[in-house]
Amino acid sequence: MLKLARGEKLLIGVVHSLATPGAPRFSGDRGAILRRALDDARALVDGGCDALIVENFGDVPFFAGAVPPETVASLAMTLSTVIAIAGELPVGINVLRNDARAALGLCAATGAQFVRINVHTGAAVTDQGVIEGRASETLRERARLCPAVALLCDVHVKHATPLGRESARDAALDTLHRGLADFLILSGSATGSAPDPREIAPVRTAVGDAPILIGSGVDARNARQLLAKADGAIVGTSLKRDGRVSEPVDAARVAKLRKLFDSLGAR
């Protein structure tokens, strides 16, 4: 189960899947998807991550809602491969752009332990159009399929503009108390972009001890500031070779960030 350890910052490493069958950038080589996922998962485990999360990052442009069966099938294979490498470490899934139902099905089928949901409550204008949260459906499907799975839910997710004027603080409260999220995620405006540290403190004050994760942009330069009021981070880009999102994960970069996280301790 994904949980916070006393006195430690949670480091969740991202396995960015290459484009899956049916996606415009699919190479035609199904084996390449698994090989990259295997290599990245090993580097994240060896570097000291506390958990791993798989996402179909290569499948741009993303569907706003449900993804097709071939995407789910490919993710099931990748997720199973990563779970085998991760051993006792929790593994999660994010089905982009916002297919929480498919993510829960994958958890039920593979034993993955958590999901990331980009728009869980409220609505957002995105490059896929308007996406509406489906918390009511997600919570009921979780209860039916995989009750122990944790819901990691974004607040004002990246690559999106909230369809409304609520502050991050108010959105976080709704996500926590009305959406029943297990973890809250604060991210910047885009992949690899950090959130404004000034927005983190009021959210922390409002939600009390509810777990907060930074969902984008954390690296060795800003981790101390960003994690002062947060409990951990989901990290992808900065763990790649040369900090480039298209490159494989670099175990040395993971180990460096792990060491920094360990030096920070509890908030």
Side-chain angles (χ1 to χ4, degrees):
M1 177 180 294
L2 185 69
K3 59 183 179 180
L4 299 176
R6 182 177 295 275
E8 296 182 0
K9 299 293 187 183
L10 186 66
L11 176 56
I12 303 176
V14 182
V15 175
H16 286 136
S17 172
L18 299 177
T20 62
R25 290 181 173 173
F26 175 55
S27 69
D29 184 354
R30 293 183 296 276
I33 299 172
L34 297 182
R35 289 192 296 272
R36 170 62 75 85
L38 182 67
D39 289 346
D40 284 354
R42 282 176 175 157
L44 292 169
V45 171
D46 291 347
C49 284
D50 298 300
L52 279 61
I53 185 167
V54 175
E55 65 179 30
N56 55 321
F57 185 78
D59 283 350
V60 290
F62 302 119
F63 292 95
V67 301
E70 60 269 22
T71 303
V72 178
S74 181
L75 284 172
M77 295 177 63
T78 301
L79 194 53
S80 296
T81 298
V82 171
I83 288 172
I85 292 298
E88 296 183 358
L89 297 181
V91 177
I93 179 70
N94 181 17
V95 183
L96 299 168
R97 172 72 156 145
N98 204 55
D99 195 344
R101 176 61 184 81
L104 291 172
L106 284 162
C107 288
T110 66
Q113 297 181 38
F114 62 96
V115 300
R116 180 175 183 175
I117 305 172
N118 287 175
V119 183
H120 182 57
T121 59
V125 179
T126 75
D127 52 307
Q128 294 82 34
V130 176
I131 297 179
E132 298 182 14
R134 298 181 178 274
S136 59
E137 298 174 15
T138 298
L139 268 293
R140 286 163 175 79
E141 285 297 280
R142 180 179 68 167
R144 185 176 72 86
L145 289 171
C146 44
V149 165
L151 304 182
L152 282 58
C153 301
D154 279 275
V155 176
H156 289 182
V157 69
K158 57 191 174 182
H159 296 288
T161 301
L163 194 60
R165 297 182 178 179
E166 80 276 12
S167 65
R169 172 192 178 279
D170 291 343
L173 286 170
D174 276 348
T175 304
L176 179 65
H177 295 303
R178 297 172 68 83
L180 304 183
D182 298 301
F183 290 73
L184 301 173
I185 302 173
L186 299 177
S187 65
S189 60
T191 299
S193 174
D196 185 342
R198 293 172 296 183
E199 288 195 353
I200 301 172
V203 172
R204 167 55 65 201
T205 300
V207 304
D209 289 332
I212 295 175
L213 302 174
I214 306 303
S216 66
V218 171
D219 58 32
R221 298 168 297 177
N222 62 21
R224 188 173 301 277
Q225 182 182 25
L226 291 175
L227 295 180
K229 298 292 184 180
D231 300 289
I234 301 172
V235 188
T237 304
S238 73
L239 301 181
K240 303 295 190 74
R241 184 186 301 157
D242 300 324
R244 298 174 57 188
V245 71
S246 60
E247 295 294 317
V249 173
D250 182 342
R253 280 179 169 259
V254 182
K256 180 179 179 180
L257 195 61
R258 170 79 269 170
K259 185 177 181 180
L260 177 56
F261 272 40
D262 289 342
S263 74
L264 298 177
R267 54 178 168 81

